[in-house]
Amino acid sequence: MSGLLIFERSVPGRRGYRLPPSDVPAVNRSDVLPAEQLRAAPPPLPEVAEFDVVRHYTKLSQLNFSVDTHFYPLGSCTMKYNPKVNERVAALPGFSLIHPLQPASQVQGLLALLYELEQLLCAITGMSAFTLQPAAGAQGELAGLKIISAYHRRKRRARRTILIPDSAHGTNPASAALSGFTVVQLKSGLSGRIDLEELKRKLNRDVAALMLTNPNTLGLFERDIKTIAALLHEQDALVYMDGANMNALLGISRPGDMGVDLLQLNLHKTFSTPHGGGGPGAGPVGVAKALDAFLPVPRVRKTGGRYAWSERGRFSVGRVHGFYGNAGVLVRAYTYIRTLGREGLQRAGESAITNANYLKAKLQGTFPVPFDDHCLHEFVVSVKRLKAHGITAWDVAKRLLDHGFYAPTVYFPLTVEEALMIEPTETESKETLDQFAKALLDIAHEAKTNPELVRRAPQRMAVDRVDEVRAAREPNLRWVPSCAPGYRPQDASCRTHAA
Ligand SMILES: *Cc1c(COP(=O)(O)O)cnc(C)c1O
């Protein structure tokens, strides 16, 4: 029974929930909906009991990794533990049951929260104002680039180039290209940071902005940021900071003080909303004073203790999201910031840095760190030494699953051969970090003594190594019936072979 797909469990007429008889007169569907929007036949959905649905989804969730079940050191993604109090607050009826079309007079609580969140983000980053509309980091980038375009247009000049370091997150060049800019790549210097000479060579009057990540994706702080910003400002070009890695700077340093003109934050990362798998996020964009008038509208304004939406914004780039943005994520971020407070945020930032440096020190004897320096929230090791045994970063990542850990980001940044990008976050204990380091060192040993084991990993998961392209094109969702009930990961027969 348990081996059946949910579709195969379908029994005609079986229902999870039956509505009581209607006490209002029935209307004909075709009288109220246009004919082209009506189905000819009902959708082929499984007809099952509520319990079948619960079991189906619970089982699926048990086949997966999550922050709540496993250490999840996915570099650049900040998979920290998300306190459950955030969920409680977001679920309060005053937040969860209101409608975006209610008049402002009825939603003063949420508007006050949004207003205060903007102030808090300004205090944390040193920026002058924020829009909370963008729904993700990448959409924040896009909104930021629209502001950059509008700024130069307002000065009546066409600037077509965005400079982006080669260590940048892939969304940066994508967002710049999507906004109609030409991307010019900056080759990193030997320290893994921006090379000032390379920057000077590529900087000219066609540059609209530099888009950098600080700390960068190698987990290194751009120490020359003030000089870099001054060089750009000399050309009246802007400095855009991808602030997705803000976790390391919390309470310690502020982009606004470094000469950054605009940035996006990833609230779902730094400020703790469960993310990944395409769920809702929030990528607010903060700007320096000179760019305030370009921010998207509407903005929440406060007059005499009352909050209201304002469409005012002299050079505004317009709306980038409907209504309030992803309000639920904004409530979680607000709760997180208020729970930790100024000192708590600083401790989070410091602990994130300590954890990453601790783990780096434990690993680097076996796995070289190509751009070795004190790191911030994350670091990148290379597993190239294992290539002699035919083992790649991919194999190590898969073998980690067998050892009970989610894998780090692999093959990124592109500047490091056979890269594992590791971000432990501040929420993990020393014991967990020790266990993870031991697992990686054990895998390095296995690579020498039993490389076949590593190459064939994972062996203890419900699904073994899949051909990822084929799995996406021709998904085989069937789970071998002999596995169930009571899935036991150690039972080798309990696996489907995706090939
Ligand atoms: C995660 C991340 C992004 C993209 O953020 P999304 O919310 O996934 O769109 C951009 N830049 C960096 C450095 C990131 O880590």
Side-chain angles (χ1 to χ4, degrees), residues 138-339:
Q139 203 200 355
E141 293 170 25
L142 193 67
L145 285 152
K146 296 266 173 244
I147 292 174
I148 293 169
S149 286
Y151 173 79
H152 291 296
R153 229 182 7 255
R154 166 93 199 119
K155 297 216 163 185
R156 299 185 191 290
R157 62 194 178 208
R159 294 224 181 173
R160 288 178 305 262
T161 305
I162 300 283
L163 300 178
I164 303 184
D166 55 7
S167 64
H169 196 270
T171 50
N172 293 183
S175 301
L178 203 63
S179 309
F181 286 106
T182 305
V183 175
V184 172
Q185 197 178 70
L186 296 182
K187 216 167 129 31
S188 299
L190 292 177
S191 72
R193 297 181 171 87
I194 288 181
D195 176 357
L196 286 179
E197 292 313 311
E198 165 85 349
L199 173 62
K200 284 179 196 160
R201 266 195 302 277
K202 304 249 162 106
L203 189 53
N204 56 45
R205 286 270 164 183
D206 193 49
V207 172
L210 164 73
M211 213 173 170
L212 88 171
T213 304
N214 197 17
N216 69 19
T217 50
L218 291 164
L220 302 176
F221 189 77
E222 292 288 354
R223 284 185 300 230
D224 295 322
I225 180 69
K226 283 197 158 169
T227 314
I228 292 169
L231 284 170
L232 278 127
H233 292 156
E234 266 169 33
Q235 307 289 331
D236 199 11
L238 298 170
V239 178
Y240 181 97
M241 186 178 118
D242 180 334
N245 294 348
M246 190 67 199
N247 215 41
L249 304 184
L250 285 178
I252 302 170
S253 80
R254 307 194 314 163
D257 302 335
M258 302 173 198
V260 167
D261 299 298
L262 67 173
L263 89 173
Q264 108 276 356
L265 296 174
N266 282 35
L267 296 190
H268 43 295
K269 294 178 180 171
T270 312
F271 301 102
S272 124
T273 283
H275 64 286
V285 174
V287 294
K289 190 129 197 69
L291 297 176
D292 194 331
F294 294 92
L295 279 176
V297 287
R299 315 244 328 256
V300 181
R301 307 270 182 195
K302 183 181 182 185
T303 14
R306 303 291 293 169
Y307 300 90
W309 287 115
S310 158
E311 297 286 341
R312 203 155 25 93
R314 260 190 311 156
F315 314 122
S316 172
V317 297
R319 258 184 190 284
V320 298
H321 194 288
F323 304 112
Y324 294 52
N326 276 335
V329 178
L330 303 175
V331 174
R332 286 173 180 83
Y334 177 84
T335 308
Y336 179 76
I337 293 170
R338 290 299 304 270
T339 308

Side-chain angles (χ1 to χ4, degrees), residues 11 60 85 175 246 422 430 439 448 488:
V11 177
L60 284 182
V85 65
S175 301
M246 190 67 199
I422 302 172
K430 177 176 176 297
K448 287 173 203 145
R488 290 184 307 156

